[in-house]
Amino acid sequence: MCLRWGICGAGKISHDFLVGLKTRPETEHRVVAVAARSLESAEKFATTHSIPKSYGSYEEVADDPEVDVVYVGTIHVTHLSIVLKMFERKKPVLCEKPLTMNAQDTAALIDAAKKNNVFLMEAVWMRFFPAIAELRKQICEGVIGDVMYVSANIGARRLNVARLYDPKMGGGSVLDMGIYPINFATMIFGGEKPESIHASGWLASTGACVARC
């Protein structure tokens, strides 16, 4: 069975997702529609990736009967509303990280997924790297013994990305990049909840966090 994908968002992250998806046979996965905040952006993206349909609203993807599953690659602050739209039409969703802006919204999405009996997954691609898959396998098989300590770091110089310094747009290092070491640590410890959390960091003049430890 070929899964027919609808794409929400016509930016770089959606482009990267499409590049990865195209490594799979078209008999397994095929993109049939893309939507963006403007029809012009959607049409340009559709032309680049040879997608037959382009929409100027996300509702149109939700209403498209030829779309089996939806990838949401928009900015963080829009995830909640877009995913809920898809659930109303019983569309399964693969949503880019972070799933939402906070734990309350994430709980709301999980509840909505259960209520509508649809699939929901956060697109944390790191978990599917061959090296990570092998690490998880070795941990599960006890090859390296009981894990007692995890050290995970990530960083990048991104001074030219204005959105990352705007809290109202989901800016800040934790939501943008901090999710990777946090996700890595929770994965290694098998999803165990921490007994305590200690954090410190630095804020930009806008109030967005620019570093955390």
Side-chain angles (χ1 to χ4, degrees):
M1 175 183 173
C2 177
L3 278 179
R4 299 171 299 179
W5 288 83
I7 306 297
C8 289
K12 182 183 182 302
I13 193 68
S14 292
H15 167 81
D16 292 346
F17 175 74
L18 262 290
V19 170
L21 195 64
K22 287 178 180 178
T23 64
R24 308 303 304 163
E26 280 203 3
T27 53
E28 295 180 3
H29 300 276
R30 183 161 53 92
V31 179
V32 298
V34 58
R37 287 176 293 178
S38 74
L39 181 58
E40 182 182 2
S41 295
E43 289 175 340
K44 183 178 180 181
F45 191 91
T47 299
T48 300
H49 294 282
S50 302
I51 300 171
K53 290 183 283 190
S54 50
Y55 298 127
S57 72
Y58 304 121
E59 289 86 354
E60 290 172 280
V61 169
D63 291 333
D64 190 331
E66 294 186 353
V67 171
D68 300 317
V69 58
V70 176
Y71 169 78
V72 177
T74 57
I75 61 173
H76 322 334
V77 293
T78 63
H79 289 178
L80 178 65
S81 60
I82 293 174
V83 175
L84 288 176
K85 283 185 178 72
M86 301 306 146
F87 286 170
E88 290 173 1
R89 300 298 188 274
K90 308 298 182 183
K91 303 285 191 188
V93 173
L94 175 64
C95 183
E96 193 50 59
K97 62 83 185 169
L99 195 58
T100 68
M101 293 288 290
N102 54 60
Q104 181 178 344
D105 288 350
T106 294
L109 279 191
I110 293 173
D111 288 343
K114 292 177 178 178
K115 178 181 177 180
N116 290 281
N117 194 31
V118 291
F119 175 86
L120 170 66
M121 182 176 181
E122 186 177 35
V124 183
W125 66 324
M126 175 194 73
R127 287 203 174 208
F128 297 90
F129 289 171
I132 296 295
E134 178 62 23
L135 175 61
R136 295 173 69 179
K137 178 175 178 289
Q138 291 198 18
I139 290 173
C140 289
E141 293 176 353
V143 174
I144 65 174
D146 293 333
V147 178
M148 307 301 294
Y149 177 81
V150 173
S151 177
N153 302 278
I154 190 170
R157 187 175 176 84
R158 306 186 69 183
L159 299 176
N160 61 333
V161 185
R163 178 187 62 79
L164 298 180
Y165 293 85
D166 186 350
K168 293 181 180 179
M169 296 295 286
S173 60
V174 175
L175 289 176
D176 185 62
M177 299 183 68
I179 184 175
Y180 290 114
I182 293 172
N183 195 284
F184 180 80
T186 56
M187 178 191 72
I188 296 301
F189 285 124
E192 285 188 49
K193 291 184 177 181
E195 294 180 0
S196 62
I197 298 175
H198 302 277
S200 63
W202 295 267
L203 300 179
S205 59
T206 60
C209 57
V210 293
R212 184 170 180 171
C213 58

